[in-house]
Amino acid sequence: MAPIPGSGLAKGLAVTLRTMTKKSVTDQYPDTQPDLPPRTRGVIGLFEENCTVCMLCARECPDWCIYIDSHKETVPAAAPGGRERSRNVLDRFAIDFSLCMYCGICIEVCPFDALFWSPEFEYAETDIRDLTHERDKLREWMWTVPAPPALDPGAEEPKELAAARKTADKLAAARTEPQEEES
């Protein structure tokens, strides 16, 4: 059976009319901020105090977009007759977000929890060279990192807390025993 001439046009106009009568669901972005889900991946924040310059994040990054420079510094002996120690001091920590693919490998491999996901996503630049953010900018984003989710009430206590509580109980018991003997 041959199609009726103009039926395709009528179907197209019907779809257009149906769509025109529905309410728009578009958020006007600059005027209204989007509701982001918790723990959204936006930009990477640096908690500089935890960084030991181990370079794991830079070595594991598949895009090679993390730049770290450091120098060694001698720390004097803590006790008389002790040995001087050397430690790495962070000079530069930068991430080139024009290369970054936001995979999160750097955050996962960091053994000292120095890198975190921040939900900030408004860091556009007019020049691509300005997308390399240094440690000062990365440190600013740490203030926007949300707190970790609360532990499940039915979950067992972390091993670290259990060990610390056990040690504290032993110390408390040791302090009360001499007092009981003196009385």
Side-chain angles (χ1 to χ4, degrees):
M1 184 159 147
I4 300 171
S7 64
L9 178 65
K11 285 181 185 176
L13 288 173
V15 170
T16 302
L17 289 172
R18 264 196 313 263
T19 306
M20 284 177 46
T21 58
K22 290 183 180 177
K23 184 177 178 179
S24 174
V25 292
T26 304
D27 287 335
Q28 299 301 319
Y29 165 63
D31 300 329
T32 60
Q33 291 294 319
D35 289 332
L36 298 174
R39 312 300 286 172
T40 298
R41 288 183 175 192
V43 72
I44 298 169
L46 171 68
F47 189 53
E48 194 174 332
E49 289 77 20
N50 285 359
C51 183
T52 61
V53 195
C54 67
M55 307 285 245
L56 275 175
C57 55
R59 278 185 277 158
E60 295 295 325
C61 179
D63 292 332
W64 292 80
C65 65
I66 299 175
Y67 310 108
I68 301 174
D69 293 330
S70 67
H71 69 275
K72 289 209 180 273
E73 193 173 84
T74 304
V75 179
R83 188 178 77 154
E84 289 184 340
R85 306 277 179 182
S86 67
R87 69 180 186 110
N88 287 329
V89 177
L90 186 65
D91 291 330
R92 178 180 187 227
F93 192 105
I95 299 177
D96 188 352
F97 286 105
S98 66
L99 296 175
C100 183
M101 65 179 179
Y102 304 91
C103 63
I105 293 174
C106 57
I107 295 169
E108 294 296 322
V109 300
C110 183
F112 301 102
D113 289 334
L115 298 172
F116 294 90
W117 282 117
S118 167
E120 289 294 314
F121 62 93
E122 297 172 316
Y123 54 95
E125 300 287 345
T126 55
D127 188 3
I128 196 167
R129 291 171 289 198
D130 294 335
L131 281 172
T132 301
H133 295 290
E134 298 291 332
R135 68 182 182 182
D136 297 334
K137 185 69 174 172
L138 298 174
R139 186 182 318 118
E140 287 176 23
W141 282 322
M142 269 310 294
W143 300 112
T144 63
V145 173
L151 293 176
D152 184 16
E156 64 182 55
E157 185 177 45
K159 293 176 188 138
E160 296 86 358
L161 288 177
R165 184 167 289 114
K166 186 177 179 182
T167 304
D169 291 342
K170 282 183 182 177
L171 288 174
R175 287 186 192 134
T176 57
E177 286 178 12
Q179 292 174 356
E180 291 175 359
E181 291 174 6
E182 291 175 7
S183 339

PDB file of all heavy atoms in Angstrom, residues 22-58:
ATOM      1  N   LYS A  22       4.428  20.726  26.332  1.00  0.00           N
ATOM      2  CA  LYS A  22       4.984  20.231  27.597  1.00  0.00           C
ATOM      3  C   LYS A  22       5.852  21.293  28.250  1.00  0.00           C
ATOM      4  O   LYS A  22       6.467  22.120  27.571  1.00  0.00           O
ATOM      5  CB  LYS A  22       5.826  18.977  27.358  1.00  0.00           C
ATOM      6  CG  LYS A  22       5.015  17.771  26.965  1.00  0.00           C
ATOM      7  CD  LYS A  22       5.919  16.568  26.830  1.00  0.00           C
ATOM      8  CE  LYS A  22       5.112  15.356  26.426  1.00  0.00           C
ATOM      9  NZ  LYS A  22       5.968  14.191  26.215  1.00  0.00           N
ATOM     10  N   LYS A  23       5.909  21.236  29.584  1.00  0.00           N
ATOM     11  CA  LYS A  23       6.739  22.188  30.322  1.00  0.00           C
ATOM     12  C   LYS A  23       8.213  21.836  30.131  1.00  0.00           C
ATOM     13  O   LYS A  23       8.596  20.676  30.149  1.00  0.00           O
ATOM     14  CB  LYS A  23       6.377  22.142  31.806  1.00  0.00           C
ATOM     15  CG  LYS A  23       7.124  23.161  32.612  1.00  0.00           C
ATOM     16  CD  LYS A  23       6.714  23.173  34.052  1.00  0.00           C
ATOM     17  CE  LYS A  23       7.563  24.201  34.746  1.00  0.00           C
ATOM     18  NZ  LYS A  23       7.326  24.391  36.092  1.00  0.00           N
ATOM     19  N   SER A  24       9.034  22.839  30.010  1.00  0.00           N
ATOM     20  CA  SER A  24      10.471  22.643  29.827  1.00  0.00           C
ATOM     21  C   SER A  24      11.116  22.189  31.141  1.00  0.00           C
ATOM     22  O   SER A  24      10.730  22.640  32.225  1.00  0.00           O
ATOM     23  CB  SER A  24      11.114  23.957  29.369  1.00  0.00           C
ATOM     24  OG  SER A  24      12.501  23.811  29.313  1.00  0.00           O
ATOM     25  N   VAL A  25      12.087  21.299  31.059  1.00  0.00           N
ATOM     26  CA  VAL A  25      12.777  20.822  32.259  1.00  0.00           C
ATOM     27  C   VAL A  25      14.207  21.356  32.322  1.00  0.00           C
ATOM     28  O   VAL A  25      14.991  20.917  33.135  1.00  0.00           O
ATOM     29  CB  VAL A  25      12.810  19.272  32.306  1.00  0.00           C
ATOM     30  CG1 VAL A  25      11.421  18.720  32.509  1.00  0.00           C
ATOM     31  CG2 VAL A  25      13.453  18.706  31.061  1.00  0.00           C
ATOM     32  N   THR A  26      14.530  22.308  31.486  1.00  0.00           N
ATOM     33  CA  THR A  26      15.875  22.869  31.448  1.00  0.00           C
ATOM     34  C   THR A  26      16.086  23.803  32.628  1.00  0.00           C
ATOM     35  O   THR A  26      15.269  24.680  32.891  1.00  0.00           O
ATOM     36  CB  THR A  26      16.089  23.640  30.133  1.00  0.00           C
ATOM     37  OG1 THR A  26      15.825  22.768  29.042  1.00  0.00           O
ATOM     38  CG2 THR A  26      17.489  24.189  30.041  1.00  0.00           C
ATOM     39  N   ASP A  27      17.193  23.591  33.355  1.00  0.00           N
ATOM     40  CA  ASP A  27      17.575  24.534  34.414  1.00  0.00           C
ATOM     41  C   ASP A  27      18.397  25.647  33.775  1.00  0.00           C
ATOM     42  O   ASP A  27      19.304  25.379  32.986  1.00  0.00           O
ATOM     43  CB  ASP A  27      18.426  23.836  35.482  1.00  0.00           C
ATOM     44  CG  ASP A  27      17.610  22.904  36.347  1.00  0.00           C
ATOM     45  OD1 ASP A  27      16.397  23.133  36.466  1.00  0.00           O
ATOM     46  OD2 ASP A  27      18.193  21.951  36.895  1.00  0.00           O
ATOM     47  N   GLN A  28      18.101  26.856  34.125  1.00  0.00           N
ATOM     48  CA  GLN A  28      18.869  27.987  33.625  1.00  0.00           C
ATOM     49  C   GLN A  28      20.122  28.103  34.479  1.00  0.00           C
ATOM     50  O   GLN A  28      20.124  28.714  35.542  1.00  0.00           O
ATOM     51  CB  GLN A  28      18.026  29.262  33.664  1.00  0.00           C
ATOM     52  CG  GLN A  28      16.785  29.198  32.821  1.00  0.00           C
ATOM     53  CD  GLN A  28      17.101  28.925  31.354  1.00  0.00           C
ATOM     54  OE1 GLN A  28      18.047  29.477  30.812  1.00  0.00           O
ATOM     55  NE2 GLN A  28      16.314  28.076  30.726  1.00  0.00           N
ATOM     56  N   TYR A  29      21.220  27.477  34.018  1.00  0.00           N
ATOM     57  CA  TYR A  29      22.400  27.225  34.841  1.00  0.00           C
ATOM     58  C   TYR A  29      22.968  28.407  35.627  1.00  0.00           C
ATOM     59  O   TYR A  29      23.036  28.314  36.835  1.00  0.00           O
ATOM     60  CB  TYR A  29      23.512  26.568  34.023  1.00  0.00           C
ATOM     61  CG  TYR A  29      24.826  26.617  34.721  1.00  0.00           C
ATOM     62  CD1 TYR A  29      24.996  25.966  35.926  1.00  0.00           C
ATOM     63  CD2 TYR A  29      25.874  27.360  34.233  1.00  0.00           C
ATOM     64  CE1 TYR A  29      26.188  26.036  36.602  1.00  0.00           C
ATOM     65  CE2 TYR A  29      27.061  27.418  34.897  1.00  0.00           C
ATOM     66  CZ  TYR A  29      27.223  26.759  36.079  1.00  0.00           C
ATOM     67  OH  TYR A  29      28.384  26.842  36.748  1.00  0.00           O
ATOM     68  N   PRO A  30      23.352  29.483  35.051  1.00  0.00           N
ATOM     69  CA  PRO A  30      23.993  30.468  35.934  1.00  0.00           C
ATOM     70  C   PRO A  30      23.045  31.013  36.995  1.00  0.00           C
ATOM     71  O   PRO A  30      23.468  31.356  38.092  1.00  0.00           O
ATOM     72  CB  PRO A  30      24.445  31.578  34.997  1.00  0.00           C
ATOM     73  CG  PRO A  30      24.403  31.016  33.633  1.00  0.00           C
ATOM     74  CD  PRO A  30      23.393  29.919  33.662  1.00  0.00           C
ATOM     75  N   ASP A  31      21.753  31.056  36.688  1.00  0.00           N
ATOM     76  CA  ASP A  31      20.794  31.601  37.648  1.00  0.00           C
ATOM     77  C   ASP A  31      20.460  30.593  38.746  1.00  0.00           C
ATOM     78  O   ASP A  31      20.318  30.974  39.903  1.00  0.00           O
ATOM     79  CB  ASP A  31      19.507  32.019  36.924  1.00  0.00           C
ATOM     80  CG  ASP A  31      19.787  33.081  35.866  1.00  0.00           C
ATOM     81  OD1 ASP A  31      20.737  33.876  36.076  1.00  0.00           O
ATOM     82  OD2 ASP A  31      19.080  33.106  34.854  1.00  0.00           O
ATOM     83  N   THR A  32      20.313  29.337  38.401  1.00  0.00           N
ATOM     84  CA  THR A  32      20.002  28.308  39.397  1.00  0.00           C
ATOM     85  C   THR A  32      21.106  27.259  39.380  1.00  0.00           C
ATOM     86  O   THR A  32      21.446  26.722  38.325  1.00  0.00           O
ATOM     87  CB  THR A  32      18.655  27.616  39.089  1.00  0.00           C
ATOM     88  OG1 THR A  32      18.735  27.010  37.802  1.00  0.00           O
ATOM     89  CG2 THR A  32      17.506  28.599  39.119  1.00  0.00           C
ATOM     90  N   GLN A  33      21.665  26.981  40.547  1.00  0.00           N
ATOM     91  CA  GLN A  33      22.725  25.980  40.660  1.00  0.00           C
ATOM     92  C   GLN A  33      22.116  24.580  40.576  1.00  0.00           C
ATOM     93  O   GLN A  33      21.052  24.333  41.139  1.00  0.00           O
ATOM     94  CB  GLN A  33      23.464  26.138  41.992  1.00  0.00           C
ATOM     95  CG  GLN A  33      24.294  27.406  42.073  1.00  0.00           C
ATOM     96  CD  GLN A  33      25.452  27.384  41.087  1.00  0.00           C
ATOM     97  OE1 GLN A  33      26.094  26.365  40.912  1.00  0.00           O
ATOM     98  NE2 GLN A  33      25.697  28.516  40.452  1.00  0.00           N
ATOM     99  N   PRO A  34      22.791  23.662  39.916  1.00  0.00           N
ATOM    100  CA  PRO A  34      22.252  22.305  39.807  1.00  0.00           C
ATOM    101  C   PRO A  34      22.339  21.564  41.133  1.00  0.00           C
ATOM    102  O   PRO A  34      23.216  21.845  41.963  1.00  0.00           O
ATOM    103  CB  PRO A  34      23.157  21.651  38.761  1.00  0.00           C
ATOM    104  CG  PRO A  34      24.425  22.413  38.811  1.00  0.00           C
ATOM    105  CD  PRO A  34      24.048  23.817  39.196  1.00  0.00           C
ATOM    106  N   ASP A  35      21.412  20.639  41.356  1.00  0.00           N
ATOM    107  CA  ASP A  35      21.464  19.780  42.534  1.00  0.00           C
ATOM    108  C   ASP A  35      22.388  18.613  42.212  1.00  0.00           C
ATOM    109  O   ASP A  35      22.008  17.694  41.476  1.00  0.00           O
ATOM    110  CB  ASP A  35      20.064  19.257  42.890  1.00  0.00           C
ATOM    111  CG  ASP A  35      19.188  20.353  43.454  1.00  0.00           C
ATOM    112  OD1 ASP A  35      19.744  21.293  44.057  1.00  0.00           O
ATOM    113  OD2 ASP A  35      17.964  20.267  43.284  1.00  0.00           O
ATOM    114  N   LEU A  36      23.578  18.665  42.748  1.00  0.00           N
ATOM    115  CA  LEU A  36      24.555  17.614  42.473  1.00  0.00           C
ATOM    116  C   LEU A  36      24.403  16.491  43.483  1.00  0.00           C
ATOM    117  O   LEU A  36      24.126  16.741  44.653  1.00  0.00           O
ATOM    118  CB  LEU A  36      25.968  18.187  42.559  1.00  0.00           C
ATOM    119  CG  LEU A  36      26.306  19.291  41.566  1.00  0.00           C
ATOM    120  CD1 LEU A  36      27.679  19.862  41.869  1.00  0.00           C
ATOM    121  CD2 LEU A  36      26.255  18.763  40.153  1.00  0.00           C
ATOM    122  N   PRO A  37      24.611  15.262  43.063  1.00  0.00           N
ATOM    123  CA  PRO A  37      24.558  14.157  44.020  1.00  0.00           C
ATOM    124  C   PRO A  37      25.739  14.244  44.982  1.00  0.00           C
ATOM    125  O   PRO A  37      26.766  14.848  44.656  1.00  0.00           O
ATOM    126  CB  PRO A  37      24.651  12.911  43.143  1.00  0.00           C
ATOM    127  CG  PRO A  37      25.128  13.370  41.825  1.00  0.00           C
ATOM    128  CD  PRO A  37      24.820  14.819  41.705  1.00  0.00           C
ATOM    129  N   PRO A  38      25.607  13.665  46.170  1.00  0.00           N
ATOM    130  CA  PRO A  38      26.725  13.713  47.107  1.00  0.00           C
ATOM    131  C   PRO A  38      27.930  12.975  46.524  1.00  0.00           C
ATOM    132  O   PRO A  38      27.787  12.037  45.756  1.00  0.00           O
ATOM    133  CB  PRO A  38      26.188  13.015  48.355  1.00  0.00           C
ATOM    134  CG  PRO A  38      24.972  12.302  47.933  1.00  0.00           C
ATOM    135  CD  PRO A  38      24.464  12.959  46.696  1.00  0.00           C
ATOM    136  N   ARG A  39      29.104  13.414  46.908  1.00  0.00           N
ATOM    137  CA  ARG A  39      30.372  12.829  46.466  1.00  0.00           C
ATOM    138  C   ARG A  39      30.569  12.949  44.951  1.00  0.00           C
ATOM    139  O   ARG A  39      31.121  12.079  44.301  1.00  0.00           O
ATOM    140  CB  ARG A  39      30.498  11.364  46.905  1.00  0.00           C
ATOM    141  CG  ARG A  39      30.173  11.090  48.351  1.00  0.00           C
ATOM    142  CD  ARG A  39      31.032  11.830  49.321  1.00  0.00           C
ATOM    143  NE  ARG A  39      32.371  11.264  49.372  1.00  0.00           N
ATOM    144  CZ  ARG A  39      33.379  11.808  50.022  1.00  0.00           C
ATOM    145  NH1 ARG A  39      33.203  12.927  50.662  1.00  0.00           N
ATOM    146  NH2 ARG A  39      34.540  11.262  50.039  1.00  0.00           N
ATOM    147  N   THR A  40      30.119  14.066  44.380  1.00  0.00           N
ATOM    148  CA  THR A  40      30.290  14.324  42.960  1.00  0.00           C
ATOM    149  C   THR A  40      31.768  14.547  42.655  1.00  0.00           C
ATOM    150  O   THR A  40      32.478  15.192  43.410  1.00  0.00           O
ATOM    151  CB  THR A  40      29.498  15.581  42.558  1.00  0.00           C
ATOM    152  OG1 THR A  40      28.129  15.334  42.793  1.00  0.00           O
ATOM    153  CG2 THR A  40      29.699  15.941  41.105  1.00  0.00           C
ATOM    154  N   ARG A  41      32.226  14.026  41.534  1.00  0.00           N
ATOM    155  CA  ARG A  41      33.604  14.246  41.098  1.00  0.00           C
ATOM    156  C   ARG A  41      33.665  15.546  40.330  1.00  0.00           C
ATOM    157  O   ARG A  41      33.153  15.651  39.223  1.00  0.00           O
ATOM    158  CB  ARG A  41      34.069  13.116  40.190  1.00  0.00           C
ATOM    159  CG  ARG A  41      34.314  11.832  40.887  1.00  0.00           C
ATOM    160  CD  ARG A  41      34.831  10.823  39.888  1.00  0.00           C
ATOM    161  NE  ARG A  41      35.183   9.593  40.555  1.00  0.00           N
ATOM    162  CZ  ARG A  41      35.861   8.626  39.989  1.00  0.00           C
ATOM    163  NH1 ARG A  41      36.255   8.751  38.738  1.00  0.00           N
ATOM    164  NH2 ARG A  41      36.143   7.538  40.651  1.00  0.00           N
ATOM    165  N   GLY A  42      34.276  16.536  40.899  1.00  0.00           N
ATOM    166  CA  GLY A  42      34.416  17.809  40.221  1.00  0.00           C
ATOM    167  C   GLY A  42      35.859  18.082  39.897  1.00  0.00           C
ATOM    168  O   GLY A  42      36.321  17.898  38.779  1.00  0.00           O
ATOM    169  N   VAL A  43      36.608  18.484  40.887  1.00  0.00           N
ATOM    170  CA  VAL A  43      38.016  18.822  40.727  1.00  0.00           C
ATOM    171  C   VAL A  43      38.778  18.177  41.885  1.00  0.00           C
ATOM    172  O   VAL A  43      38.191  17.798  42.894  1.00  0.00           O
ATOM    173  CB  VAL A  43      38.189  20.360  40.689  1.00  0.00           C
ATOM    174  CG1 VAL A  43      37.965  20.970  42.038  1.00  0.00           C
ATOM    175  CG2 VAL A  43      39.524  20.759  40.139  1.00  0.00           C
ATOM    176  N   ILE A  44      40.079  18.046  41.749  1.00  0.00           N
ATOM    177  CA  ILE A  44      40.889  17.386  42.770  1.00  0.00           C
ATOM    178  C   ILE A  44      41.455  18.432  43.715  1.00  0.00           C
ATOM    179  O   ILE A  44      42.046  19.416  43.281  1.00  0.00           O
ATOM    180  CB  ILE A  44      42.010  16.564  42.108  1.00  0.00           C
ATOM    181  CG1 ILE A  44      41.393  15.487  41.240  1.00  0.00           C
ATOM    182  CG2 ILE A  44      42.938  15.971  43.150  1.00  0.00           C
ATOM    183  CD1 ILE A  44      42.366  14.776  40.333  1.00  0.00           C
ATOM    184  N   GLY A  45      41.258  18.216  45.024  1.00  0.00           N
ATOM    185  CA  GLY A  45      41.794  19.097  46.044  1.00  0.00           C
ATOM    186  C   GLY A  45      43.008  18.462  46.711  1.00  0.00           C
ATOM    187  O   GLY A  45      43.100  17.243  46.836  1.00  0.00           O
ATOM    188  N   LEU A  46      43.947  19.292  47.164  1.00  0.00           N
ATOM    189  CA  LEU A  46      45.183  18.825  47.791  1.00  0.00           C
ATOM    190  C   LEU A  46      45.212  19.210  49.255  1.00  0.00           C
ATOM    191  O   LEU A  46      45.093  20.383  49.591  1.00  0.00           O
ATOM    192  CB  LEU A  46      46.396  19.422  47.074  1.00  0.00           C
ATOM    193  CG  LEU A  46      47.764  19.208  47.718  1.00  0.00           C
ATOM    194  CD1 LEU A  46      48.160  17.739  47.643  1.00  0.00           C
ATOM    195  CD2 LEU A  46      48.811  20.068  47.045  1.00  0.00           C
ATOM    196  N   PHE A  47      45.382  18.220  50.131  1.00  0.00           N
ATOM    197  CA  PHE A  47      45.603  18.459  51.558  1.00  0.00           C
ATOM    198  C   PHE A  47      47.114  18.372  51.771  1.00  0.00           C
ATOM    199  O   PHE A  47      47.675  17.314  51.999  1.00  0.00           O
ATOM    200  CB  PHE A  47      44.851  17.432  52.395  1.00  0.00           C
ATOM    201  CG  PHE A  47      44.839  17.732  53.856  1.00  0.00           C
ATOM    202  CD1 PHE A  47      44.424  18.955  54.333  1.00  0.00           C
ATOM    203  CD2 PHE A  47      45.249  16.781  54.772  1.00  0.00           C
ATOM    204  CE1 PHE A  47      44.407  19.240  55.678  1.00  0.00           C
ATOM    205  CE2 PHE A  47      45.238  17.045  56.126  1.00  0.00           C
ATOM    206  CZ  PHE A  47      44.815  18.272  56.577  1.00  0.00           C
ATOM    207  N   GLU A  48      47.758  19.517  51.630  1.00  0.00           N
ATOM    208  CA  GLU A  48      49.215  19.592  51.543  1.00  0.00           C
ATOM    209  C   GLU A  48      49.937  19.029  52.766  1.00  0.00           C
ATOM    210  O   GLU A  48      51.025  18.474  52.643  1.00  0.00           O
ATOM    211  CB  GLU A  48      49.613  21.052  51.329  1.00  0.00           C
ATOM    212  CG  GLU A  48      51.018  21.245  50.888  1.00  0.00           C
ATOM    213  CD  GLU A  48      51.305  22.688  50.555  1.00  0.00           C
ATOM    214  OE1 GLU A  48      50.391  23.424  50.165  1.00  0.00           O
ATOM    215  OE2 GLU A  48      52.471  23.069  50.689  1.00  0.00           O
ATOM    216  N   GLU A  49      49.342  19.129  53.934  1.00  0.00           N
ATOM    217  CA  GLU A  49      49.989  18.658  55.156  1.00  0.00           C
ATOM    218  C   GLU A  49      50.202  17.142  55.134  1.00  0.00           C
ATOM    219  O   GLU A  49      51.103  16.631  55.779  1.00  0.00           O
ATOM    220  CB  GLU A  49      49.171  19.046  56.390  1.00  0.00           C
ATOM    221  CG  GLU A  49      49.190  20.528  56.695  1.00  0.00           C
ATOM    222  CD  GLU A  49      48.285  21.342  55.787  1.00  0.00           C
ATOM    223  OE1 GLU A  49      47.353  20.765  55.175  1.00  0.00           O
ATOM    224  OE2 GLU A  49      48.531  22.544  55.647  1.00  0.00           O
ATOM    225  N   ASN A  50      49.365  16.411  54.390  1.00  0.00           N
ATOM    226  CA  ASN A  50      49.492  14.953  54.324  1.00  0.00           C
ATOM    227  C   ASN A  50      50.428  14.483  53.219  1.00  0.00           C
ATOM    228  O   ASN A  50      50.780  13.311  53.177  1.00  0.00           O
ATOM    229  CB  ASN A  50      48.125  14.303  54.116  1.00  0.00           C
ATOM    230  CG  ASN A  50      47.289  14.318  55.370  1.00  0.00           C
ATOM    231  OD1 ASN A  50      47.717  14.786  56.413  1.00  0.00           O
ATOM    232  ND2 ASN A  50      46.082  13.810  55.264  1.00  0.00           N
ATOM    233  N   CYS A  51      50.817  15.366  52.322  1.00  0.00           N
ATOM    234  CA  CYS A  51      51.643  14.974  51.182  1.00  0.00           C
ATOM    235  C   CYS A  51      53.084  14.766  51.637  1.00  0.00           C
ATOM    236  O   CYS A  51      53.704  15.658  52.219  1.00  0.00           O
ATOM    237  CB  CYS A  51      51.590  16.026  50.080  1.00  0.00           C
ATOM    238  SG  CYS A  51      52.514  15.549  48.604  1.00  0.00           S
ATOM    239  N   THR A  52      53.619  13.573  51.366  1.00  0.00           N
ATOM    240  CA  THR A  52      55.002  13.253  51.719  1.00  0.00           C
ATOM    241  C   THR A  52      55.911  13.247  50.499  1.00  0.00           C
ATOM    242  O   THR A  52      57.053  12.806  50.589  1.00  0.00           O
ATOM    243  CB  THR A  52      55.079  11.871  52.396  1.00  0.00           C
ATOM    244  OG1 THR A  52      54.600  10.900  51.476  1.00  0.00           O
ATOM    245  CG2 THR A  52      54.290  11.844  53.672  1.00  0.00           C
ATOM    246  N   VAL A  53      55.432  13.701  49.369  1.00  0.00           N
ATOM    247  CA  VAL A  53      56.164  13.756  48.108  1.00  0.00           C
ATOM    248  C   VAL A  53      56.655  12.360  47.719  1.00  0.00           C
ATOM    249  O   VAL A  53      57.786  12.173  47.294  1.00  0.00           O
ATOM    250  CB  VAL A  53      57.329  14.773  48.175  1.00  0.00           C
ATOM    251  CG1 VAL A  53      57.831  15.097  46.788  1.00  0.00           C
ATOM    252  CG2 VAL A  53      56.918  16.044  48.883  1.00  0.00           C
ATOM    253  N   CYS A  54      55.798  11.379  47.867  1.00  0.00           N
ATOM    254  CA  CYS A  54      56.155  10.009  47.494  1.00  0.00           C
ATOM    255  C   CYS A  54      56.078   9.804  45.991  1.00  0.00           C
ATOM    256  O   CYS A  54      56.581   8.806  45.479  1.00  0.00           O
ATOM    257  CB  CYS A  54      55.275   9.005  48.225  1.00  0.00           C
ATOM    258  SG  CYS A  54      53.539   9.064  47.737  1.00  0.00           S
ATOM    259  N   MET A  55      55.423  10.708  45.276  1.00  0.00           N
ATOM    260  CA  MET A  55      55.316  10.709  43.820  1.00  0.00           C
ATOM    261  C   MET A  55      54.461   9.574  43.250  1.00  0.00           C
ATOM    262  O   MET A  55      54.451   9.354  42.052  1.00  0.00           O
ATOM    263  CB  MET A  55      56.693  10.644  43.159  1.00  0.00           C
ATOM    264  CG  MET A  55      57.655  11.688  43.629  1.00  0.00           C
ATOM    265  SD  MET A  55      57.245  13.252  42.933  1.00  0.00           S
ATOM    266  CE  MET A  55      58.660  13.534  41.940  1.00  0.00           C
ATOM    267  N   LEU A  56      53.737   8.835  44.082  1.00  0.00           N
ATOM    268  CA  LEU A  56      52.897   7.754  43.570  1.00  0.00           C
ATOM    269  C   LEU A  56      51.813   8.280  42.629  1.00  0.00           C
ATOM    270  O   LEU A  56      51.527   7.671  41.600  1.00  0.00           O
ATOM    271  CB  LEU A  56      52.249   6.988  44.713  1.00  0.00           C
ATOM    272  CG  LEU A  56      53.076   5.873  45.326  1.00  0.00           C
ATOM    273  CD1 LEU A  56      52.354   5.297  46.530  1.00  0.00           C
ATOM    274  CD2 LEU A  56      53.360   4.798  44.320  1.00  0.00           C
ATOM    275  N   CYS A  57      51.205   9.401  42.997  1.00  0.00           N
ATOM    276  CA  CYS A  57      50.123   9.943  42.164  1.00  0.00           C
ATOM    277  C   CYS A  57      50.645  10.314  40.779  1.00  0.00           C
ATOM    278  O   CYS A  57      50.005  10.016  39.774  1.00  0.00           O
ATOM    279  CB  CYS A  57      49.467  11.127  42.848  1.00  0.00           C
ATOM    280  SG  CYS A  57      50.610  12.433  43.314  1.00  0.00           S
ATOM    281  N   ALA A  58      51.811  10.932  40.716  1.00  0.00           N
ATOM    282  CA  ALA A  58      52.367  11.343  39.423  1.00  0.00           C
ATOM    283  C   ALA A  58      52.792  10.134  38.593  1.00  0.00           C
ATOM    284  O   ALA A  58      52.625  10.119  37.377  1.00  0.00           O
ATOM    285  CB  ALA A  58      53.552  12.274  39.629  1.00  0.00           C
TER     286      ALA A  58
END
